[in-house]
Amino acid sequence: SNHVYLDYNATTPVAPEVVDAMTPWFTERFWNAASAHPLGAMANDAVETARQQVADLIGAHPNEVVFTSGSTESINLALKGVFSAAPDRTGIVTAATEHKAVLDTAAWLAEQGASTCVLPVTASGEIDPELFAGSVDQHTAVVSVMAANNETGVIADLAGPVDAARRCGALFHTDATQAVGRINFDVEHADVDLASISAHKIYGPKGVGALYVRRSVRIDATIHGGGHEHNMRSGTLNVAGIVGFGAAAELAAKQRDDDAERSTQLTSELVAGLTTQLDGVEVIPESAPRLPNTVNVRFTGADAEAVMVNAPTVAMSSGSACTSMVPHPSHVLIAMGMSADDASECLRFSTGRPTTSEDITEAVAALVPAVTRVRELTQ
Ligand code: PLP
């Protein structure tokens, strides 16, 4: 197609190697990994290979990897599972820039009686470790902070909130969905108890993910049934999807540094192209550690939705969640102190393994007249 896809934080294509690894597990190797016969055992072996591959990507032990349908489910399992397993602790502490999967689960838990504390962030989207130190106490069950933000790419320093959780005996969960495969993310180094990850952000299939659960941590299931995944997530395993996740994880571990180097180059080409040809271009936030592939740009005086309409060949994200046809400005940018009007002028670009310099040139060539036109029309 003649589209330039710059929305890899939304999802990635399944890598050819991953498709190849998955294919037989749909057809001739269609078996149930829980079946007692030798064919079932072969499916189970494939799942265990994938479990090792996923564990290796994040520095975990395979026994600590629970397969799920994706990060949304992993996050629900982590937060609800901790609550259910620790009835004497009622607090949850998180930050305003988290993905809705965390914020909405925390809000739901509040309706069930949890005391949910959603902390503000700095103007650059960074968490304030002192706020965490002051908000986590012996009633806190779980602290949840994302490793990297999907809209701005801001990378969190988890050390402060992890330490706050440790000192109070609370568990620590991180939404590492956007961090894995893009930057080095290691559960031991980060010292987290729980981590949510998803295959479709790292060139694996949609609808499969994992929750890392540290060996010493006990959580209750949210999906009950046959007792799969050490009783933490029942349901016949998605063998083909899991095999694909494993292949994608192995590939991600191999390619991460090269991918990062290339995407740093490409995002800086994008910013350079836009800033040399347009006035009023601002990277949001201006200074904070960011994912190499992600850049959020504000085009002053140009409504992002209108720019998208005027540059239909560029696939990008306005970051606004569209609920019941009413666009809301990004809660992430609002949490960083932007006004709704300013936030509505921001677009997120995210590059991926297939992105080329030519893609960037084409995107800039489409965006410059689009922004110019929107500005003229709204003057
Ligand atoms: N958390 C973050 C930071 C994300 O970017 C996403 C992706 O949309 C999710 C959670 C949800 O992941 P999934 O699509 O696997 O449910």
Side-chain angles (χ1 to χ4, degrees), residues 9-10 69-73 75 99 101 146 148-150 175 177-178 197-201 207-208:
N9 284 9
S69 65
S71 278
T72 301
E73 185 189 329
I75 291 163
H99 191 272
M146 71 201 317
N149 187 274
N150 47 305
D175 174 358
T177 311
Q178 295 288 352
I197 62 175
S198 188
H200 76 100
K201 309 288 188 185
V208 56

Side-chain angles (χ1 to χ4, degrees), residues 14-29 240 243-244 247:
V14 181
E17 300 92 318
V18 172
V19 175
D20 289 346
M22 291 173 74
T23 305
W25 299 97
F26 287 112
T27 52
E28 67 263 31
R29 298 180 168 239
V243 167

Side-chain angles (χ1 to χ4, degrees), residues 63-209:
N63 288 347
E64 299 173 311
V65 172
V66 177
F67 286 118
T68 66
S69 65
S71 278
T72 301
E73 185 189 329
S74 297
I75 291 163
N76 273 264
L77 173 57
L79 301 183
K80 294 175 186 174
V82 165
F83 259 86
S84 170
D88 51 323
R89 285 179 179 253
T90 53
I92 172 166
V93 180
T94 187
T97 44
E98 292 291 312
H99 191 272
K100 289 289 180 187
V102 168
L103 293 175
D104 288 0
T105 303
W108 183 84
L109 283 166
E111 286 170 27
Q112 312 307 308
S115 49
T116 292
C117 172
V118 182
L119 294 171
V121 298
T122 67
S124 58
E126 292 171 290
I127 50 157
D128 179 346
E130 281 179 23
L131 282 181
F132 278 85
S135 305
V136 179
D137 61 26
Q138 70 278 10
H139 302 296
T140 307
V142 60
V143 178
S144 191
V145 179
M146 71 201 317
N149 187 274
N150 47 305
E151 290 189 31
T152 58
V154 169
I155 298 167
D157 181 358
L158 299 179
V162 166
D163 185 57
R166 290 273 170 271
R167 275 189 285 116
C168 297
L171 295 176
F172 190 89
H173 167 259
T174 186
D175 174 358
T177 311
Q178 295 288 352
V180 288
R182 307 230 160 93
I183 53 172
N184 184 24
F185 173 77
D186 181 288
V187 292
E188 293 299 335
H189 180 255
D191 193 24
V192 300
D193 299 301
L194 299 144
S196 294
I197 62 175
S198 188
H200 76 100
K201 309 288 188 185
I202 60 162
Y203 307 91
K206 294 168 183 61
V208 56

Side-chain angles (χ1 to χ4, degrees), residues 278-345:
L278 288 167
D279 292 328
V281 174
E282 199 186 335
V283 173
I284 308 292
E286 204 184 305
S287 68
R290 282 205 331 265
L291 291 175
N293 78 317
T294 308
V295 62
N296 197 302
V297 177
R298 179 178 170 208
F299 299 97
T300 309
D303 179 71
E305 305 282 341
V307 173
M308 285 180 74
V309 170
N310 280 275
T313 57
V314 185
M316 53 201 159
S317 165
S318 69
S320 65
C322 207
T323 318
S324 59
M325 305 304 278
V326 186
H328 295 283
S330 152
H331 74 278
V332 173
L333 300 177
I334 298 290
M336 290 161 66
M338 283 182 99
S339 70
D341 282 347
D342 290 0
S344 72
E345 297 173 347

Side-chain angles (χ1 to χ4, degrees), residues 344-363:
S344 72
E345 297 173 347
C346 294
L347 285 165
R348 175 194 73 186
F349 303 92
S350 47
T351 65
R353 230 175 258 161
T355 309
T356 61
S357 254
E358 291 70 51
D359 289 338
I360 300 299
T361 307
E362 264 183 62

